[in-house]
Amino acid sequence: MSTTSDRTHRWFNGVGYSGRMIWAIIVGAVVILAALFILVQKNVSLEYAETFASVEDVNSKIALSDEVRIRSLLASLDKVLLVVRKDYAEKPGLTQQQLLLLLDELKVDQELSPRMAIVDEYGDIVLSSARKVNDTKPKINVADRAFFQGHKAEQDDQLHVGTPIQSRATGKWVVPLSRRITRRDGSFGGVLDLTVDSKLFTEPFSKTSMGPDATRAIMGRDGYTLLRLNDGKLTYGGDSRKSQLFNELKKSPVGCYTAVASSDGVKRSVCYRAIDPYDIIILAGSSVAGMEGIASAKVLRYIWATAMVAVLIVVLSSFLILGVLRQRKLLASQQSFNQLIELVPQLVSSMDVHGNILWVNRRTIEYIKPSTEEQAAGFDWVFSGVHPDDLEHVRRYISSALTQEQSPEFCECRRRRHDGAYLWFSSQITRVVGHDGVGSYFLQTSTDIHDRKMAEERARAAQKLESIGQLTGGMAHDFNNLLAIIVGNLDLVKLDVKVDAATARLDVAIGAAQRGVGLVKSLLALASKQRLLPATVDLWALIERISPLLSHALGPRVNFALKPPGANVYVEVDEAGLEAVLLNLIVNAKDAMPKGGDLILGLNVSNGMARVVVKDTGTGMPEAVLKRATEPFFTTKEHGRGTGLGLSMVAGFAKQSGGTMNIQSAEGVGTTIEIALPMAQAANPASTQGKSVVMPSQPVVLSGKRKILIVDDEPALAELVQAWARAEGHTAVVAHSADDALTLLEVRAFDVLLSDIIMPGELDGINLAKKAGVMHPKMKILLMSGYSRETATNRADVPWPVLVKPFSRSDFGTALEKMYSVSGLGALA
């Protein structure tokens, strides 16, 4: 046995040294490139790690430097506050001049714009180093400031570093440093406030920040930002209690972390240090994107060097491979042919002169999917996939092709797919002569033609249905003429019969004839492809009425049971169409139970839908068949026994009626088909569904007597209508062809022309009406036909009304009356 993998193995061995050299070059190049990639990846990762560690170390040192600087600064300024507070306590009458002298003695840097203010317990500034403030009336009040409220609420004697504020004296942003003034009795005596320019804290930040999007900040232990410098932009205040910083502070007062800043959404690596006892935190951070940019610049050098080496390796390997390929040109050509065979969508096999299969392409294996045991036993599985009905035909074709006898150019047969479905293929066999001109073998190619065959089958089925429709339409037309004669004469006889028993029998006969009229209308609808004519019907009454027909269709081997609903169920459907659907389902169920079984036809209601359920105990459907059950022209029946239109027509009828069809089936279990239809309200017409309808026989009294010319090639029907007309006092003359009618119209005038549409001869009823209208413009024209108006006229410009056969005496009288009324035109049916 030879498979695709075997052929590849033989080819590789046949290539020999050159093939192994190519593989060695490729493997060697891949290994070197992989090793180079791993080495570069390792160095890149290391470079990134070192860069991040370096930047983090710098930020940590910056934070430490800021801590030392700010701690020293705060200690110096706190010393000033303590000295002033002591002097103020010892000299309650401290003046502004004395305060300024004291600040000079303490050597407070004037470039920092320090301003000292003494605030009383009410928040009023009672003494300030700024001259204008002391003269302000009313006095400036700072009771609403956070530092004042904090000292008033807390009794601790600690320096308070406040959030930067705008001075009410100068309007500049300043940082308030304050201490509580406590009276000797321990009560709150006010606040000593020293405000300094915020630049005192922020000027060194810009000189030591690490790249773009870097951050420097001073935070309070209470979670509020004192000041922040992000990418050169200084901001004051802000709630930072939900930031990652305060989770890190719970672990350690000093550390580093990476997080997305809530202030501007930038991801940074941040180092922080808490400065106690001042309850502030110093932050120094760098953007992660900036850190990656620093690392990328270094990594780029590795990548360029690696790319150059990789290109060199690829170029060198390519030259080596090209040199080896030149030595195996012939084998490469053979390999290309083999690959082509594998890529073609056809099933390809190679045979020797005796018809034994040597190998098959991958497409053949994928199509049939033989088991491992079948492949090990040989190629019998190839022929076993041919349809049994086609196997002998295929064997004769192969034998003829191998012996070069006169044979068809191709052979069409069905081949079994791995899922059990048979598809049509067209096979051809070609002799391939060896290079030495001696040896030869045969290639068999099989092309999928299933879609084409199915299209041809659908075309034949459509032609057959069209022929049936034409035959049905013709038969229905003739039968309508017969029914018109039967119904009309029964109607006349009924007027003359006075015996109740005889009248009852006539009613039965008329009712049966009317049911025949309904059947003929259904045949006409099928033949002329008319749209559905829905009406409100009692669904269970309809099922009970046709149940004898359904039972007869099932035969004696099937136990037929009805499962009625608990109440009347009304639906809006085409009655004839629903009867055809139920009969179709019953016949399908019978075919699924060749040895007999049980069938239940039930009706139930749920969710506003009437559900007709047909359940059998037949063979059921496999899953593959169930998926395609409603496809048009799909059938599992033998050729000639089914068109594949049954369930597709049922599904189409349910959808057109506003409902659905559902199929549940399994092999060996049976099939349940449910048709769900929307429920409707009961209407008066519903009460007559399923009953014989007796046509009204009371004549319609006309306002005047008319001269009527009746034209019909059916003598009995023409004479019947003549009798109706004369019974009403009209003058009626009969003509049995259009030519006879024209002869009469040349010598006499008539009030009404009543003509059949379909008649033998050169003139039909429509052309007769046109000529008669020219001859006698005032004459009324009424047409009649055994077809519907649409089928009979097949024209949009026919202006005359049409009586559809069979019609009653009452219909005839009503039509005459309407012709002389205001709404005289339109279809009469």
Side-chain angles (χ1 to χ4, degrees):
M1 175 182 176
S2 174
T3 63
T4 301
S5 59
D6 293 335
R7 295 201 310 279
T8 303
H9 182 66
R10 290 201 305 272
W11 166 80
F12 183 76
N13 289 336
V15 170
Y17 176 76
S18 62
R20 289 192 289 274
M21 280 295 295
I22 291 174
W23 279 108
I25 293 169
I26 294 174
V27 171
V30 170
V31 170
I32 294 173
L33 289 174
L36 188 63
F37 174 78
I38 294 172
L39 179 61
V40 171
Q41 186 72 16
K42 183 177 179 181
N43 286 337
V44 167
S45 300
L46 183 61
E47 191 64 50
Y48 273 101
E50 289 178 352
T51 300
F52 274 65
S54 175
V55 173
E56 186 177 279
D57 182 60
V58 171
N59 284 330
S60 179
K61 291 178 180 178
I62 291 173
L64 176 60
S65 174
D66 286 344
E67 179 194 6
V68 173
R69 178 176 62 83
I70 293 175
R71 185 187 293 276
S72 174
L73 177 64
L74 292 177
S76 298
L77 295 175
D78 191 25
K79 182 178 179 181
V80 173
L81 287 170
L82 291 172
V83 171
V84 173
R85 186 177 67 172
K86 181 180 178 183
D87 280 7
Y88 178 71
E90 295 175 354
K91 303 174 182 179
L94 186 68
T95 66
Q96 184 186 54
Q97 187 64 30
Q98 292 173 331
L99 178 60
L100 291 173
L101 290 174
L102 182 59
L103 291 176
D104 287 337
E105 292 175 1
L106 293 173
K107 299 180 180 180
V108 177
D109 192 351
Q110 294 301 319
E111 294 181 358
L112 302 178
S113 301
R115 296 187 184 276
M116 180 70 71
I118 299 174
V119 183
D120 63 14
E121 68 269 26
Y122 303 108
D124 293 329
I125 297 178
V126 297
L127 180 61
S128 173
S129 62
R131 291 182 174 84
K132 293 182 179 180
V133 175
N134 294 307
D135 299 332
T136 302
K137 293 184 180 181
K139 295 182 179 297
I140 296 176
N141 189 279
V142 295
D144 59 333
R145 296 293 194 183
F147 68 86
F148 180 86
Q149 295 177 355
H151 284 304
K152 186 176 182 180
E154 302 291 339
Q155 295 185 3
D156 60 335
D157 190 17
Q158 295 290 336
L159 175 67
H160 181 274
V161 182
T163 302
I165 58 176
Q166 276 188 295
S167 172
R168 289 175 178 167
T170 64
K172 294 182 178 180
W173 283 94
V174 293
V175 178
L177 306 175
S178 57
R179 273 190 173 271
R180 189 176 193 272
I181 298 175
T182 306
R183 294 192 180 96
R184 292 181 180 179
D185 59 1
S187 63
F188 176 66
V191 174
L192 189 62
D193 177 37
L194 175 65
T195 59
V196 295
D197 195 326
S198 61
K199 293 181 180 179
L200 177 67
F201 297 93
T202 60
E203 274 189 349
F205 285 179
S206 58
K207 300 176 182 179
T208 55
S209 293
M210 291 293 293
D213 284 330
T215 186
R216 304 290 293 283
I218 302 176
M219 314 285 290
R221 279 274 192 177
D222 58 358
Y224 290 93
T225 303
L226 274 66
L227 52 86
R228 180 190 302 275
L229 184 69
N230 278 3
D231 197 21
K233 183 179 179 181
L234 183 64
T235 57
Y236 303 102
D239 188 353
S240 302
R241 288 177 293 179
K242 294 183 180 180
S243 68
Q244 182 65 25
L245 170 66
F246 292 93
N247 291 328
E248 300 295 330
L249 282 171
K250 295 176 182 177
K251 305 175 186 176
S252 172
V254 178
C256 297
Y257 64 91
T258 299
V260 176
S262 59
S263 60
D264 57 6
V266 177
K267 187 176 182 181
R268 295 185 176 91
S269 174
V270 179
C271 291
Y272 67 91
R273 301 185 72 87
I275 303 178
D276 293 322
Y278 303 115
D279 289 336
I280 60 174
I281 303 117
I282 298 298
L283 281 83
S286 299
S287 165
V288 171
M291 297 164 67
E292 291 175 344
I294 296 172
S296 297
K298 298 178 182 178
V299 167
L300 191 59
R301 294 195 296 271
Y302 289 109
I303 295 176
W304 275 109
T306 303
M308 293 298 293
V309 174
V311 169
L312 183 61
I313 292 172
V314 171
V315 171
L316 180 60
S317 301
S318 299
F319 277 115
L320 291 174
I321 291 173
L322 286 174
V324 174
L325 288 175
R326 291 191 183 96
Q327 301 176 7
R328 59 169 194 142
K329 206 168 188 180
L330 182 62
L331 290 177
S333 177
Q334 180 63 37
Q335 175 64 13
S336 297
F337 175 75
N338 290 340
Q339 289 177 348
L340 178 62
I341 293 298
E342 294 293 356
L343 291 175
V344 296
Q346 287 86 358
L347 310 182
V348 182
S349 59
S350 173
M351 296 186 296
D352 60 18
V353 294
H354 304 292
N356 300 315
I357 297 178
L358 304 176
W359 55 263
V360 297
N361 68 339
R362 184 185 297 110
R363 169 67 173 150
T364 304
I365 297 175
E366 291 174 349
Y367 180 80
I368 301 178
K369 289 187 178 180
S371 64
T372 305
E373 293 76 13
E374 287 176 326
Q375 293 188 61
F379 286 98
D380 289 343
W381 53 270
V382 177
F383 285 111
S384 66
V386 178
H387 195 284
D389 295 345
D390 302 335
L391 186 57
E392 187 59 33
H393 170 58
V394 171
R395 292 189 183 279
R396 286 199 303 270
Y397 171 73
I398 292 175
S399 176
S400 177
L402 295 181
T403 58
Q404 293 191 348
E405 296 178 357
Q406 188 66 28
S407 63
E409 294 182 357
F410 58 89
C411 173
E412 294 183 354
C413 66
R414 290 162 290 179
R415 294 180 180 272
R416 186 180 66 244
R417 196 167 56 191
H418 55 82
D419 59 359
Y422 281 95
L423 303 184
W424 280 97
F425 281 83
S426 177
S427 298
Q428 288 182 301
I429 296 178
T430 305
R431 178 187 291 272
V432 181
V433 181
H435 293 287
D436 54 4
V438 179
S440 63
Y441 62 95
F442 294 87
L443 276 181
Q444 176 177 272
T445 58
S446 299
T447 305
D448 186 346
I449 60 169
H450 189 74
D451 289 343
R452 191 197 77 194
K453 295 289 286 187
M454 292 300 99
E456 293 173 355
E457 185 67 24
R458 286 193 293 270
R460 285 193 293 269
Q463 291 173 355
K464 183 177 179 180
L465 287 175
E466 184 177 357
S467 299
I468 293 173
Q470 292 174 352
L471 177 62
T472 301
M475 293 178 62
H477 173 267
D478 294 341
F479 194 43
N480 254 344
N481 284 335
L482 298 177
L483 284 173
I485 297 170
I486 294 172
V487 173
N489 281 286
L490 288 174
D491 205 18
L492 285 176
V493 171
K494 185 178 178 182
L495 295 176
D496 298 332
V497 175
K498 306 302 181 182
V499 181
D500 291 342
T503 301
R505 291 183 180 274
L506 285 174
D507 288 340
V508 172
I510 292 173
Q514 290 298 332
R515 292 192 61 187
V517 171
L519 292 175
V520 172
K521 286 184 178 179
S522 299
L523 291 175
L524 283 172
L526 172 63
S528 58
K529 300 180 181 178
Q530 292 177 328
R531 65 178 184 270
L532 298 181
L533 302 174
T536 304
V537 299
D538 184 334
L539 189 51
W540 188 250
L542 183 148
I543 292 173
E544 286 185 324
R545 188 179 75 247
I546 66 170
S547 60
L549 174 63
L550 302 181
S551 179
H552 178 74
L554 286 171
R557 293 187 178 182
V558 178
N559 298 320
F560 182 44
L562 297 176
K563 188 177 179 181
N568 291 342
V569 179
Y570 296 94
V571 293
E572 189 86 8
V573 293
D574 184 285
E575 187 173 354
L578 183 58
E579 290 177 0
V581 163
L582 293 176
L583 183 60
N584 194 314
L585 294 178
I586 291 296
V587 172
N588 275 358
K590 176 188 176 183
D591 292 342
M593 297 183 289
K595 297 182 179 179
D598 299 323
L599 186 140
I600 299 175
L601 174 57
L603 175 62
N604 59 75
V605 176
S606 65
N607 299 324
M609 301 292 283
R611 304 179 187 275
V612 180
V613 181
V614 179
K615 182 176 182 181
D616 65 57
T617 58
T619 56
M621 305 181 201
E623 185 175 354
V625 174
L626 183 59
K627 290 179 179 179
R628 304 183 60 193
T630 58
E631 290 183 13
F633 302 103
F634 174 75
T635 180
T636 57
K637 297 178 182 179
E638 298 176 4
H639 184 69
R641 290 197 58 196
T643 64
L645 292 172
L647 290 180
S648 65
M649 291 176 68
V650 173
F653 175 84
K655 182 178 180 181
Q656 195 173 357
S657 301
T660 58
M661 183 185 78
N662 180 47
I663 306 176
Q664 294 180 348
S665 185
E667 277 191 285
V669 176
T671 301
T672 300
I673 298 180
E674 177 189 270
I675 301 174
L677 299 170
M679 294 183 63
Q681 296 294 329
N684 291 334
S687 62
T688 62
Q689 296 294 329
K691 300 180 181 178
S692 299
V693 179
V694 180
M695 285 189 170
S697 59
Q698 295 301 320
V700 177
V701 180
L702 299 179
S703 58
K705 306 306 178 183
R706 311 295 177 187
K707 289 180 289 184
I708 304 172
L709 175 58
I710 303 169
V711 186
D712 198 313
D713 61 311
E714 184 66 48
L717 181 58
E719 292 170 2
L720 173 64
V721 177
Q722 183 184 38
W724 285 348
R726 289 177 175 175
E728 299 301 325
H730 301 299
T731 300
V733 178
V734 173
H736 298 302
S737 68
D739 293 334
D740 293 344
L742 288 175
T743 301
L744 288 171
L745 288 170
E746 288 177 354
V747 298
R748 292 184 60 180
F750 292 91
D751 298 317
V752 179
L753 170 64
L754 174 61
S755 175
D756 190 14
I757 294 177
I758 307 299
M759 291 187 296
E762 296 181 359
L763 289 178
D764 60 7
I766 294 176
N767 290 322
L768 171 62
K770 289 180 178 179
K771 290 190 175 186
V774 174
M775 297 170 66
H776 301 280
K778 294 184 178 181
M779 182 173 61
K780 303 292 185 181
I781 297 175
L782 177 62
L783 301 178
M784 55 182 172
S785 176
Y787 291 113
S788 66
R789 172 183 173 85
E790 291 78 8
T791 306
T793 62
N794 196 26
R795 296 275 296 276
D797 60 347
V798 176
W800 307 290
V802 179
L803 270 172
V804 178
K805 300 176 185 178
F807 52 86
S808 67
R809 178 181 176 184
S810 176
D811 295 334
F812 172 65
T814 301
L816 290 179
E817 183 69 20
K818 284 186 176 181
M819 291 179 69
Y820 286 91
S821 66
V822 177
S823 57
L825 295 180
L828 302 169

